[in-house]
Amino acid sequence: DAGVTQSPTHLIKTRGQQVTLRCSPKSGHDTVSWYQQALGQGPQFIFQYYEEEERQRGNFPDRFSGHQFPNYSSELNVNALLLGDSALYLCASSYKSVGQLNYNEQFFGPGTRLTVL
Amino acid sequence: DQQVKQNSPSLSVQEGRISILNCDYTNSMFDYFLWYKKYPAEGPTFLISISSIKDKNEDGRFTVFLNKSAKHLSLHIVPSQPGDSAVYFCAASEDNDMRFGAGTRLTVKP
């Protein structure tokens, strides 16, 4: 079991461009959450996908959007990139048990380092 | 808004001694608290958690204490080992909305 995988590992973009980050959850997991971790900060929740729908969203603008596929993998899209979008983007997978997210079983991927110039 | 705060960016302890990492929160509606450990170039790894209905949870060398009246959480590592050197994140959850602290870098010296 490869655990949670993310691609690419590093990415450099310029302001105004668009970016797509990808995440494959751990085997057996059906829920994917995305986090942004700026330098020196803790991860900030962007949104969560379950059953191919966005279920919860943090305080991020509409420039951040996502998708979940039938195989539970997920994409994070960011449009009109700003310098402040430079960060480590973490994907975490888990499974829902009776509608309650089982945080003890939330596994994080290694992240994608996005640099916006 | 900083609902979860880790006021010590770093902590250094000697091998074999106790490490105490602290976390404060402001939202009294948080119902679940967690600690994660993060090594460089890896994602955070779940370490230990505690429900708001408890005040202590122990797992081997790791113990988490919750003081709801003070809105304070702490992680005790006894005895500390060099392999424990990492960044530790405190996190709190309300209805699946998880908030993280900024992290504390723990260094355990041999």
Side-chain angles (χ1 to χ4, degrees):
Chain A
D1 183 4
V4 180
T5 59
Q6 293 186 244
S7 64
T9 54
H10 295 86
L11 203 52
I12 298 175
K13 291 284 188 179
T14 56
R15 280 180 298 174
Q17 283 189 310
Q18 179 265 344
V19 69
T20 298
L21 310 182
R22 295 176 176 82
C23 171
S24 291
K26 182 177 169 64
S27 177
H29 285 183
D30 57 9
T31 301
V32 173
S33 301
W34 286 92
Y35 294 84
Q36 180 195 65
Q37 186 181 2
L39 200 61
Q41 310 265 338
Q44 275 196 293
F45 176 71
I46 303 175
F47 43 52
Q48 182 185 95
Y49 276 84
Y50 172 66
E51 291 185 335
E52 302 179 48
E53 288 190 17
E54 183 182 298
R55 299 294 178 170
Q56 274 190 293
R57 189 178 184 91
N59 189 23
F60 279 81
D62 292 345
R63 298 187 296 110
F64 289 77
S65 63
H67 189 77
Q68 186 178 35
F69 299 94
N71 67 353
Y72 308 119
S73 67
S74 176
E75 288 182 350
L76 163 65
N77 300 294
V78 187
N79 293 322
L81 284 168
L82 304 174
L83 295 179
D85 295 331
S86 296
L88 179 69
Y89 288 84
L90 294 163
C91 165
S93 76
S94 52
Y95 64 88
K96 282 200 182 288
S97 172
V98 199
Q100 177 67 34
L101 188 65
N102 191 338
Y103 279 120
N104 285 17
E105 296 292 330
Q106 180 168 229
F107 289 79
F108 282 84
T112 293
R113 173 74 60 187
L114 171 65
T115 302
V116 182
L117 302 176
Chain B
D1 61 348
Q2 287 283 305
Q3 294 190 35
V4 179
K5 293 181 183 180
Q6 293 177 257
N7 293 317
S8 298
S10 63
L11 174 68
S12 181
V13 300
Q14 208 66 35
E15 181 180 6
R17 306 294 292 269
I18 184 172
S19 294
I20 300 177
L21 296 101
N22 294 304
C23 177
D24 297 296
Y25 62 94
T26 57
N27 184 353
S28 58
M29 299 302 292
F30 285 139
D31 55 8
Y32 206 72
F33 303 88
L34 307 93
W35 285 94
Y36 284 85
K37 180 168 72 172
K38 186 180 187 299
Y39 293 118
E42 295 182 11
T45 303
F46 168 76
L47 193 57
I48 192 169
S49 63
I50 187 167
S51 165
S52 61
I53 63 173
K54 296 186 176 181
D55 55 18
K56 177 182 175 181
N57 187 26
E58 191 172 354
D59 183 3
R61 297 186 297 113
F62 303 90
T63 303
V64 56
F65 295 92
L66 176 62
N67 182 335
K68 282 181 291 184
S69 60
K71 294 190 178 68
H72 181 80
L73 190 69
S74 64
L75 173 68
H76 293 210
I77 306 174
V78 183
S80 300
Q81 300 173 353
D84 296 329
S85 296
V87 176
Y88 288 78
F89 291 102
C90 164
S93 169
E94 176 194 0
D95 291 336
N96 294 336
D97 180 2
M98 185 183 281
R99 306 294 177 105
F100 283 81
T104 297
R105 181 176 300 280
L106 172 66
T107 302
V108 180
K109 298 179 179 178

